[in-house]
C-alpha cells in the first residue's frame, strides 16, 4: 500500500474501503476531510511479500513504499508519531473499515449502533473465546492491515485504535487476536476467576481499559462536534463547553495511565494466586488502570449522555446510539462496575506492602521510559513490553529495567515508588516555579495538596490488609488509585514538555485532570488559579474541526 499526501488540502484524493468479509472494494463517500494530511489507496494495494523502503524486513502484511513519503508519514499521522509500520497498519485498518458515516458499510457507526448489529457484535465478542464468530472477521481485517507485524503492547493498541474507536465489543475481541492465521487468544482462568489471553501481546488487565478509552473518545468527539458547530448560533449550548473540557482532561488522564502501563513489561498482577491466571494483570499499573479507568470514565459517559440529550441527540441519533451501544458492551470488555470492583479488591490486598515502600524523597533523574510516550519502543523486552521482542527478558537480560525498576511493580524501586516519587517531585516544583508561569505554579500547588493526602493514607494503608474486603480497605484502595492516576498525569505531562509546544506538555489539561481527581477525593483546591477549562475546550474544538482524535498522541483521522 502506498500512502501519499493529497495534491492540495482543498482536494483530497478519494479513499476506498473494502468489506472485509468479501474483500470487494467500493468507493467510500464522502472523501476524507481536508484536515487529514494523507490518504490511503485500497487494501488491494497491499503486497504480502513487499518490502519497506530502507528496511530488510519481509513477511505478510509488509508493504513496498517509495520516495520521501515514509520518513514523513509517521510525523503526519500524529503529534507523537508511532513507528512507520504502526502508522501504516492503522491506516490500512481504517481503509478496511470504510467510511464510518456510510450506512451501507457494515462497519459504519449507524450499522454498528443499530439493534441487529449491536446484538451481532455482542454475540461475536462472546463467542470469540471459542474461536467462532469473530475469528474469521478478525483474521481478514487484522491480517490485511498488517497487525501481525506489531508486537509491542502499546503499539498494538495504537494500530488497533481505528477499530477500538468504533465498537468496544469488537475492538476488545480483536485485541485478543494472536497473529496471522491464528484464532483469538485462548482464555485461561486463575484461582481468583481472572480471565486472560495467553498469547495476545496486550495484557488482559489493560485490554478493556484501552478499548474503553478509545470508544469513549468517539462519543466525546460526537458531543464536541455538536457543541462546537452549533454553539455560535445557539448560545445555550456554550454552557456545555466546560463540561466537555473536563471530560477531555479525564480521558487524557485515563489514557496516560493506560499507555504507561502498556509500555511496562508484563508482570503478575497484585494479589495472591499461583494459578495460571496470576500473571495476567500487568502488575500494579494494570490493576490501577483496571479499577480507575472504568470508574472515572463512568462519570465521563454520564456527563456525555447529559450533553447529547440536551443537544437533542437521543438514542436514535448517531451519538446517542454510540453511547447506548458502548454502555451495553461494558460487561463484555470487563470494564463495568463488577470489573472495577475486582481490581479494587486486588489493590486493597496489597496496600500494606505498598505503603511500606512509600518513598520519603521526590523522584530525581530522567523520567522512566514508560512515561516518555514520544520515545519509540525499546529494542528489547517481553512480548507485552515496550520493545515487543520475545523471550520475556527486560533490557538488562535479568528481569530488571534500567534504573532499578522491577517488572512486578510492587517491590522496592517498583511502580508504586516511582508514582509516589513523581507526586513528590510535582509538589516540590511549587517552590521553584516562576511567578510569571501561573499554570506551573498552580499545578505544583495542587500536586502538593495531593501529596498531603498521600501522606495521610500511609498509616491506615499499612493495616488495610487485615480485611481487604472491608469497606474501609476498598475506600483506601480507591483513594490510593486516584493518587497514582494523578502521578501518572504528572509524569506524562513532564515527559511531553520537551520544548516542542505540544498540548500534552502544557499545564492546562494536567491542571484540569488533577482538579477532577481532587474533587473525587474531596480534597479542597489550593488558592486562586487560572481556569484551565477555556484553553482545554479550545484544544478540543480545534481537534474536532481539524479531524484529530481525542487521544494523547493527537492522531489525525482518515475519515
Amino acid at each position: 500500500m502506498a500512502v501519499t499526501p493529497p495534491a492540495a488540502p482543498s482536494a483530497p484524493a478519494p479513499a476506498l474501503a473494502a468489506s472485509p468479509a468479501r474483500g470487494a472494494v467500493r468507493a467510500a463517500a464522502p472523501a476524507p476531510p481536508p484536515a487529514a494530511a494523507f490518504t490511503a489507496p485500497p487494501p488491494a494495494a497491499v503486497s504480502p511479500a513487499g518490502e519497506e523502503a530502507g528496511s530488510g524486513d519481509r513477511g505478510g502484511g509488509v508493504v513496498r513504499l517509495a520516495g520521501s513519503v515514509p520518513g514523513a508519514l509517521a510525523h503526519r499521522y500524529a503529534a507523537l508519531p508511532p513507528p512507520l509500520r504502526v502508522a501504516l497498519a492503522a491506516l490500512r485498518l481504517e481503509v478496511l473499515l470504510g467510511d464510518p458515516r456510510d450506512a451501507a458499510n457494515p462497519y459504519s457507526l449507524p450499522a454498528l449502533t443499530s439493534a441487529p448489529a449491536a446484538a451481532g457484535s455482542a454475540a461475536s465478542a462472546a463467542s470469540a473465546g471459542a474461536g467462532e464468530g469473530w475469528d474469521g472477521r478478525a483474521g481478514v481485517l487484522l491480517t490485511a492491515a498488517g497487525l501481525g507485524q506489531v508486537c509491542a503492547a502499546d503499539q498494538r493498541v495504537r494500530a488497533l485504535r481505528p477499530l477500538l474507536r468504533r465498537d468496544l465489543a469488537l475492538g476488545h475481541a480483536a485485541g485478543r487476536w494472536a497473529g496471522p492465521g491464528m484464532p483469538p487468544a485462548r482464555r485461561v482462568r486463575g484461582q481468583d476467576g481472572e480471565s486472560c489471553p495467553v498469547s495476545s501481546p496486550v495484557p488482559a488487565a489493560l485490554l478493556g481499559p484501552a478499548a474503553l478509552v478509545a470508544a469513549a473518545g468517539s462519543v466525546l468527539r460526537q458531543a464536541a462536534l455538536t457543541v462546537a458547530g452549533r454553539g455560535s448560533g445557539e448560545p445555550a449550548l456554550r454552557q456545555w463547553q466546560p463540561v466537555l473540557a473536563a471530560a477531555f482532561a479525564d480521558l487524557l488522564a485515563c489514557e496516560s495511565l493506560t499507555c504507561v502501563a502498556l509500555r511496562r513489561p508484563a508482570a503478575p498482577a497484585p494479589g495472591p494466586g499461583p494459578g495460571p491466571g496470576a500473571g495476567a494483570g500487568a502488575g500494579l499499573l494494570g490493576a490501577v488502570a483496571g479499577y480507575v479507568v472504568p470508574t472515572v470514565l463512568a462519570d465521563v459517559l454520564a456527563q456525555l449522555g447529559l450533553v447529547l440529550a440536551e443537544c437533542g441527540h437521543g438514542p436514535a441519533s448517531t451519538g446517542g446510539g454510540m453511547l447506548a451501544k458502548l454502555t451495553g458492551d461494558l460487561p463484555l470488555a470487563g470494564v463495568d462496575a463488577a470489573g472495577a470492583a475486582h481490581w479494587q479488591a486486588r489493590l486493597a490486598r496489597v496496600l500494606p506492602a505498598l505503603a511500606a515502600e512509600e518513598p520519603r524523597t521526590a523522584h530525581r533523574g530522567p523520567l522512566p521510559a514508560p512515561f516518555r510516550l514520544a520515545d519509540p519502543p525499546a529494542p528489547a523486552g517481553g512480548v507485552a513490553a515496550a520493545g515487543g521482542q520475545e523471550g520475556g527478558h527486560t533490557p538488562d537480560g535479568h528481569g530488571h529495567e534500567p534504573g532499578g525498576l522491577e517488572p512486578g511493580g510492587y517491590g522496592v524501586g517498583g511502580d508504586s515508588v516511582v508514582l509516589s516519587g513523581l507526586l513528590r517531585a510535582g509538589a516540590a516544583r511549587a517552590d521553584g516555579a516562576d511567578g510569571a508561569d501561573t499554570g506551573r505554579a498552580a499545578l505544583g500547588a495542587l500536586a502538593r495538596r495531593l501529596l498531603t493526602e498521600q501522606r495521610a493514607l500511609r498509616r491506615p494503608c499499612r493495616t488495610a490488609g487485615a480485611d481487604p474486603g472491608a469497606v474501609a480497605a476498598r475506600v483506601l484502595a480507591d483513594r490510593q488509585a486516584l493518587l497514582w492516576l494523578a502521578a501518572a498525569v504528572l509524569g506524562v505531562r513532564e515527559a511531553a514538555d520537551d520544548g516542542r509546544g505540544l498540548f500534552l506538555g502544557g499545564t492546562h489539561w494536567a491542571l484540569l485532570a488533577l482538579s477532577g481527581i481532587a474533587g473525587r477525593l474531596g480534597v479542597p483546591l489550593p488558592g486562586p488559579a487560572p481556569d484551565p477549562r477555556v484553553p482545554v475546550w479550545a484544544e478540543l474544538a480545534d481537534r474536532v474541526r481539524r479531524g484529530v482524535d481525542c487521544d494523547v498522541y493527537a492522531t489525525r483521522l482518515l475519515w
Side-chain angles (χ1 to χ4, degrees):
M1 175 197 301
V3 181
T4 58
S10 60
L16 300 177
S19 174
R22 298 183 299 273
V25 178
R26 59 180 173 80
F38 47 77
T39 57
V46 176
S47 172
E51 181 177 345
E52 289 185 5
S55 171
D57 294 336
R58 297 180 181 271
V62 184
V63 301
R64 185 182 303 279
L65 295 171
S68 60
V69 173
L73 174 66
H75 289 274
R76 288 182 172 179
Y77 180 71
L80 296 179
L84 175 61
R85 178 174 294 171
V86 176
L88 288 174
L91 284 173
R92 291 190 196 100
L93 185 56
E94 281 211 77
V95 171
L96 284 164
L97 291 170
D99 187 352
R101 297 159 293 186
D102 182 4
N105 175 13
Y107 293 105
S108 67
L109 294 177
L112 289 172
T113 57
S114 65
S121 66
S124 297
S127 63
E132 302 171 354
W134 176 240
D135 184 4
R137 301 167 72 190
V140 173
L141 272 174
L142 306 184
T143 301
L147 265 293
Q149 303 292 321
V150 182
C151 296
D154 63 320
Q155 303 302 334
R156 173 68 72 93
V157 168
R158 290 192 72 173
L160 276 173
R161 193 172 178 94
L163 182 56
L164 301 179
R165 280 196 300 262
R166 298 198 189 194
D167 189 276
L168 176 63
L170 293 181
H172 181 263
R176 303 193 320 233
W177 180 69
M182 299 294 293
R186 181 170 56 86
R187 310 293 287 186
V188 297
R189 291 190 176 273
Q191 292 183 353
D192 59 357
E194 179 190 351
S195 180
C196 69
V198 296
S199 57
S200 172
V202 183
L206 298 171
L207 181 54
L212 176 58
V213 165
S218 292
V219 181
L220 174 61
R221 276 184 53 80
Q222 290 292 322
L225 277 168
T226 301
V227 173
R230 291 164 45 190
S232 58
E234 302 179 37
L237 294 185
R238 297 176 194 165
Q239 65 177 316
W240 301 115
Q241 293 178 1
V243 175
L244 294 179
F248 184 31
D250 286 340
L251 199 66
L252 291 176
C254 290
E255 189 175 10
S256 296
L257 173 65
T258 305
C259 288
V260 171
L262 285 167
R263 292 171 64 88
R264 288 283 285 122
L284 172 67
L285 288 173
V288 175
Y291 170 66
V292 163
V293 173
T295 303
V296 172
L297 292 191
D299 295 338
V300 170
L301 294 177
Q303 294 291 332
L304 294 179
L306 179 61
V307 174
L308 289 169
E310 290 294 322
C311 293
H313 290 265
S317 66
T318 299
M322 290 171 61
L323 180 59
K325 175 69 166 61
L326 172 57
T327 303
D329 286 342
L330 292 178
L332 289 172
V335 285
D336 57 346
H342 167 78
W343 291 110
Q344 183 189 39
R346 299 196 72 171
L347 288 172
R349 294 190 195 111
V350 295
L351 283 179
L354 296 176
E357 298 173 357
E358 181 71 21
R360 300 303 178 97
T361 59
H363 176 81
R364 290 182 172 85
L367 282 167
F371 294 89
R372 301 195 296 270
L373 304 186
D375 290 357
V383 169
Q389 279 191 345
E390 300 182 28
H393 296 287
T394 40
D396 69 353
H398 297 88
H400 295 78
E401 285 188 323
L405 293 180
E406 296 180 9
Y410 41 84
V412 175
D415 290 334
S416 63
V417 174
V418 172
L419 291 171
S420 298
L422 287 174
L423 197 60
R424 289 177 175 272
R429 293 187 187 96
D431 298 326
D434 186 355
D437 193 342
T438 55
R440 290 180 184 274
L443 188 61
L446 185 50
R448 178 186 290 172
R449 188 62 56 89
L450 294 176
L451 178 60
T452 301
E453 175 68 15
Q454 172 77 65
R455 289 168 174 163
L457 290 181
R458 185 184 303 129
R459 178 171 294 178
C461 281
R462 286 176 177 171
T463 59
D467 185 6
V471 174
R474 288 179 175 267
V475 170
L476 288 172
D478 172 79
R479 301 184 73 80
Q480 182 61 74
L482 287 171
L483 291 170
W484 280 326
L485 175 64
V489 168
L490 290 170
V492 168
R493 189 217 68 84
E494 183 182 349
D497 186 16
D498 55 3
R500 288 184 289 166
L502 297 173
F503 175 74
L504 195 66
T507 59
H508 300 301
W509 76 274
L511 182 58
L512 187 53
L514 262 62
S515 298
I517 292 171
R520 292 181 175 91
L521 290 169
V523 174
L525 298 177
D531 187 353
R533 295 177 295 179
V534 173
V536 172
W537 163 252
E539 171 71 14
L540 177 60
D542 184 59
R543 286 194 183 193
V544 299
R545 292 189 185 105
R546 293 189 296 113
V548 177
D549 200 2
C550 302
D551 62 343
V552 294
Y553 303 105
T555 304
R556 298 198 180 197
L557 301 176
L558 182 62
W559 304 99

